[in-house]
Amino acid sequence: MPAFTAAKVALSPLLLWQGRQVRREAPRLPEASGPRLGLTGQDRHSGAMPRLRLLIVGDSSGAGVGAATQDEALAGRLSQALARRLKAPIAWQLVARTGWTTADATAALRELSAQGRLPPADVMVTALGVNDAVHQTSPRRWTAQLDALEACACELAGVHQIVATAVPPMHRFPLLPQPLRWVLGRSAQALDAALVQWTADAGTRAYFEMPFDAARDDVRELMASDGFHPSPALYHRWGEALALQIAADYRPLMRPV
């Protein structure tokens, strides 16, 4: 890490210039359109209660940038896959915005709760870390912010379990030029290692590794046109694999229907 820090200092003028260029020239894709609160898998004539309640918290990937609608993004794909696997309705809420850090997400949960717009949830799924890496948040500080997010979700929404999605491999993002890609990639890898340890520290947390094979998958085919966000194909794969893990691990939380 001392060598990495020294390299960042030496490269700082170039990194700052590259960062400005990326922000100026990168395509600005919108967040996915559509509702951010719903009940998936409900038979409109049965009135069945949800069997599992999801709170999805994230940054631009959580918000569905790279997909046209929420049905094609993480929230839609995950809730659809869970409803299909459990054969029961899934209640879900999405709290995500482009540019959010983990601290921003925590503040948003508190604001929604104060407004009476944060319904109870059993499981919180997170898609965070990219902007924390961009801001060069240290792993120690980031895990403290994750602690704060967890405490907030448990206190205000009654969350019992957390599934934390891995920090994306920024060293493979086509949009980023070198050496900016290398620096952000190293930072993202450090945060991801901290996330692995953080989820291992408590039985109420689980780590979710993104479902692609670095050796075989072409990252460009799984990313949106901006070279930075997931494509609908990756959102579909992400939602299906995440649903499989949640359905297997969290059956004790599911209420009878």
Side-chain angles (χ1 to χ4, degrees):
M1 290 305 292
F4 177 57
T5 300
K8 285 197 300 182
V9 172
L11 292 168
S12 59
L14 176 58
L15 296 173
L16 289 171
W17 180 82
Q18 287 185 328
R20 287 194 294 268
Q21 289 295 106
V22 168
R23 285 191 292 271
R24 183 181 302 116
E25 298 175 3
R28 296 182 182 275
L29 301 182
E31 296 178 356
S33 64
R36 298 198 172 200
L37 182 75
L39 187 63
T40 299
Q42 181 188 39
D43 181 336
R44 68 181 63 182
H45 302 296
S46 70
M49 297 297 290
R51 194 166 184 200
L52 188 69
R53 301 169 300 183
L54 288 175
L55 173 61
I56 304 162
V57 178
D59 50 29
S60 55
S61 63
V65 172
T69 68
Q70 292 298 338
D71 282 344
E72 298 176 332
L74 175 62
R77 293 303 190 185
L78 174 56
S79 58
Q80 294 158 18
L82 269 175
R84 187 173 64 251
R85 288 187 178 279
L86 299 175
K87 297 180 174 58
I90 303 297
W92 59 273
Q93 180 176 19
L94 173 63
V95 181
R97 283 286 183 274
T98 297
W100 272 3
T101 63
T102 300
D104 293 330
T106 303
L109 291 186
R110 294 197 179 280
E111 183 176 352
L112 285 172
S113 178
Q115 297 170 352
R117 297 194 294 127
L118 185 66
D122 304 304
V123 176
M124 177 170 69
V125 172
T126 65
L128 293 162
V130 166
N131 295 303
D132 299 281
V134 169
H135 284 79
Q136 294 294 284
T137 305
S138 71
R140 179 176 296 182
R141 184 179 181 190
W142 193 49
T143 53
Q145 292 172 346
L146 289 169
D147 285 338
L149 176 65
E150 177 185 47
C152 180
C154 293
E155 174 191 353
L156 301 179
V159 166
H160 303 297
Q161 300 279 354
I162 296 173
V163 184
T165 301
V167 182
M170 298 184 73
H171 64 285
R172 301 191 68 197
F173 281 13
L175 172 70
L176 302 174
Q178 296 288 14
L180 181 63
R181 186 191 304 183
W182 173 73
V183 169
L184 292 181
R186 284 287 300 270
S187 298
Q189 288 171 326
L191 294 186
D192 192 57
L195 185 64
V196 170
Q197 184 59 55
W198 184 79
T199 52
D201 285 343
T204 56
R205 305 169 186 162
Y207 176 82
F208 176 77
E209 188 170 0
M210 287 295 284
F212 62 79
D213 187 326
R216 293 188 300 175
D217 287 334
D218 184 346
V219 174
R220 293 176 184 272
E221 293 181 359
L222 294 175
M223 301 196 76
S225 59
D226 65 355
F228 195 86
H229 292 96
S231 67
L234 182 53
Y235 280 124
H236 183 268
R237 192 185 294 192
W238 184 1
E240 290 287 340
L242 189 51
L244 179 63
Q245 179 170 321
I246 292 174
D249 291 350
Y250 301 112
R251 287 189 181 276
L253 296 176
M254 299 173 191
R255 291 173 298 283
V257 294

